[in-house]
Amino acid sequence: ENREAMLNSRSNRLTEALEEANALFDGVCRAREAALDAQFLVLASSIGKEKANELHSEMSAFDSTAFAEDLLTFMGINRTEETDDSEDGPGGFLPTDAWKRMGEEALKYFNRAPDVHYMLGSFKSEPPVPKQRIERQKKASRGKAEQAMPAQLKKMEESHQEATEKEVERILRILQTHFENDPNTPISYFDFVIDPNSFARTVENMFHVSFLIRDGLARIKLDEVELPIIEPTKPNGGVEEDNRAGARNQVILRLDQREWE
């Protein structure tokens, strides 16, 4: 509303508004109030810019031609005394000590020489240090790591496979022992594999027994009440007979923790 009054060069309304805003900002405690203060700052900056432009327009503008004329006059030039043979001199129609006089006068306004900063580094840059040796070392160490990792994984895989084979052989010996002690009593599959104290151990037992079924070293069948029973196969011809008759099948058995309990 007071924009025209604030733009007046003799008015201090803009300064008074800024001081009032600074005093009010000490009590700001909400985001909306801070947003209003920021909005006022943008508006005050815009008015201040316009006011500065008007002040600049009232001042005498810089005239490069007039400046050059004053500079030549200071350096001692007198156009009326210009002669044709003056072009042979190093400074043309300027006096011989013109630039020296100019330099001595300009020296008074500089306390020290300004620092020099290169935008893209120095002009005489040193060649980069070759990194071929470092790259070869990295590749060599990386190659060693790549060679070591498969060996470790292979060794770990072999150890797990060896442990699985030993556990399968141990379960097979237990099954054969139970069957030899009482061949007329069927062995319940669930009694054979379930560990009453560990669900994880039960799953491991079922996993190892599956290898016996896969390799034909044992077989599972249903009893009179449709519950699975397990027994070892005959060492002589049992596997070949089952394969030939097509009676050996593999299935997936589901057992969760609730059913195990």
Side-chain angles (χ1 to χ4, degrees), residues 86-255:
S86 62
E87 296 180 358
D88 299 335
F93 55 82
L94 289 175
T96 56
D97 61 341
W99 288 108
K100 181 180 179 182
R101 187 187 310 172
M102 177 64 186
E104 292 176 352
E105 182 66 21
L107 186 62
K108 300 177 182 179
Y109 302 97
F110 292 94
N111 295 328
R112 60 183 180 87
D115 297 334
V116 178
H117 299 281
Y118 298 104
M119 296 178 61
L120 300 175
S122 60
F123 291 102
K124 295 181 179 180
S125 59
E126 298 181 357
V129 180
K131 299 182 179 180
Q132 297 180 357
R133 182 175 302 175
I134 299 177
E135 293 179 357
R136 284 199 297 268
Q137 291 177 356
K138 289 182 178 180
K139 291 180 180 179
S141 60
R142 190 182 305 170
K144 292 180 180 178
E146 292 176 356
Q147 293 176 0
M149 287 300 294
Q152 293 176 0
L153 294 176
K154 185 177 182 181
K155 185 177 181 180
M156 186 181 300
E157 184 179 356
E158 291 177 353
S159 62
H160 283 295
Q161 184 177 359
E162 184 178 354
T164 301
E165 293 177 355
K166 290 183 178 179
E167 187 66 18
V168 172
E169 294 176 357
R170 187 183 69 85
I171 292 178
L172 178 60
R173 288 195 299 269
I174 295 175
L175 179 62
Q176 292 173 346
T177 302
H178 279 289
F179 188 78
E180 291 173 359
N181 293 336
D182 192 1
N184 297 324
T185 303
I187 304 173
S188 172
Y189 171 77
F190 293 111
D191 291 340
F192 184 72
V193 299
I194 289 180
D195 186 342
N197 301 320
S198 175
F199 176 71
R201 184 63 181 172
T202 300
V203 175
E204 291 180 0
N205 292 337
M206 297 172 64
F207 173 71
H208 293 134
V209 169
S210 66
F211 286 96
L212 299 179
I213 306 302
R214 184 199 65 179
D215 298 335
L217 300 175
R219 59 186 175 183
I220 297 177
K221 58 184 180 180
L222 302 179
D223 58 5
E224 294 80 3
V225 293
E226 299 295 326
L227 290 177
I229 58 176
I230 185 172
E231 61 181 15
T233 57
K234 297 179 181 180
N236 297 327
V239 178
E240 288 78 3
E241 292 177 0
D242 288 342
N243 290 336
R244 190 167 50 249
R248 202 179 102 196
N249 298 316
Q250 291 178 268
V251 297
I252 297 176
L253 180 63
R254 176 184 176 276
L255 179 67

Side-chain angles (χ1 to χ4, degrees), residues 21-22 24-43:
N22 289 334
L24 293 174
F25 187 74
D26 295 337
V28 170
C29 59
R30 294 182 178 85
R32 178 56 182 167
E33 297 171 356
L36 289 175
D37 181 77
Q39 185 178 359
F40 166 76
L41 182 60
V42 173
L43 182 60

